Amino acid sequence: NAGVMQNPRHLVRRRGQEARLRCSPMKGHSHVYWYRQLPEEGLKFMVYLQKENIIDESGMPKERFSAEFPKEGPSILRIQQVVRGDSAAYFCASSPGRGRFEQYFGPGTRLTVT
Amino acid sequence: DQQVKQNSPSLSVQEGRISILNCDYTNSMFDYFLWYKKYPAEGPTFLISISSIKDKNEDGRFTVFLNKSAKHLSLHIVPSQPGDSAVYFCAATLQGGSEKLVFGKGTKLTVNP
């Protein structure tokens, strides 16, 4: 029973490039969440999606960041024109919904912007 | 504005003794609380949770206590083992809301053999 999968595990981008982070939820889970962790900080909520719908994007920066969870395939977090401040660990989590609030996390993608 | 606070950045205990990790929250609307354990370079692992209708939940060596009037919860680990050494995050959410988790900054637990 595979857990939440994220790829790539490490991503290096130069300033101005685009970063695409992928997340496949656990089997049977229809809710996907993205969180960001800066050094020495806790995880900060970014966005909550269900298939083909963004439910809550209150934690997403207004510009350059977008997320999707298509009918087929993984959820994608896209960061355009990356800046050094985007360097962080990005974690995806999934939950089955239906009154279950535990979220199960993937191993994360560590983004480094040079 | 830190809605979930873990005021102890680190905690060191001896193997076999009890570890107590504390967490305070400011938003009285939170009604579901979770603890996660995180090793370096890995994602958080869910440990245990508690709903606001309870004041205690137990799972093996892990027990979570909730004091709603004080807006305080704690995680007890008994007995502590060296493999428990990790960063522990407290998180809170609102049932019926977007279900996003609000995390504290974490407490680094070191269990000494």
Side-chain angles (χ1 to χ4, degrees):
Chain A
N1 185 16
V4 177
M5 299 176 67
Q6 289 188 250
N7 67 81
R9 293 291 307 273
H10 300 274
L11 183 61
V12 179
R13 285 288 178 265
R14 291 199 183 99
R15 279 178 295 171
Q17 291 185 318
E18 179 179 289
R20 284 194 179 218
L21 289 63
R22 295 176 199 80
C23 168
S24 296
M26 285 180 71
K27 187 176 180 180
H29 286 193
S30 57
H31 297 214
V32 166
Y33 310 80
W34 286 92
Y35 294 84
R36 175 165 67 174
Q37 185 182 25
L38 296 170
E40 309 302 322
E41 296 284 326
L43 282 75
K44 301 283 190 199
F45 168 79
M46 300 182 74
V47 63
Y48 162 35
L49 311 103
Q50 295 178 20
K51 284 287 187 181
E52 300 184 279
N53 284 303
I54 297 174
I55 308 301
D56 181 355
E57 56 182 346
S58 59
M60 288 278 269
K62 294 286 184 275
E63 296 177 349
R64 302 186 297 108
F65 285 72
S66 62
E68 62 176 4
F69 188 17
K71 188 176 180 181
E72 301 290 339
S75 175
I76 306 285
L77 179 67
R78 182 182 177 205
I79 311 172
Q80 295 179 290
Q81 299 174 329
V82 296
V83 301
R84 289 237 171 96
D86 297 333
S87 294
Y90 291 82
F91 293 98
C92 170
S94 71
S95 75
R98 298 187 298 275
R100 296 274 307 277
F101 300 100
E102 295 81 19
Q103 296 179 16
Y104 297 87
F105 283 79
T109 294
R110 275 141 194 90
L111 172 66
T112 302
V113 179
T114 62
Chain B
D1 179 27
Q2 189 93 28
Q3 296 187 73
V4 177
K5 300 178 184 179
Q6 294 178 257
N7 292 319
S8 298
S10 62
L11 174 68
S12 183
V13 299
Q14 286 300 119
E15 181 178 6
R17 305 294 289 268
I18 184 171
S19 295
I20 300 176
L21 298 108
N22 294 303
C23 177
D24 298 291
Y25 60 97
T26 57
N27 188 343
S28 57
M29 300 293 287
F30 288 143
D31 56 6
Y32 199 83
F33 304 89
L34 309 91
W35 284 94
Y36 285 84
K37 176 168 92 170
K38 187 180 181 303
Y39 294 118
E42 294 185 12
T45 300
F46 170 70
L47 279 176
I48 192 169
S49 61
I50 188 167
S51 167
S52 60
I53 62 172
K54 296 185 175 181
D55 54 19
K56 176 183 174 181
N57 190 25
E58 193 171 354
D59 184 0
R61 297 187 297 116
F62 301 92
T63 303
V64 56
F65 295 91
L66 176 62
N67 182 333
K68 289 188 292 294
S69 61
K71 296 194 186 70
H72 177 83
L73 63 157
S74 60
L75 175 68
H76 293 210
I77 307 174
V78 182
S80 301
Q81 300 172 354
D84 296 330
S85 297
V87 178
Y88 288 77
F89 290 98
C90 169
T93 189
L94 178 62
Q95 298 180 71
S98 80
E99 302 173 4
K100 65 185 180 187
L101 298 181
V102 179
F103 283 87
K105 290 190 176 184
T107 297
K108 184 176 182 179
L109 173 65
T110 301
V111 180
N112 301 303

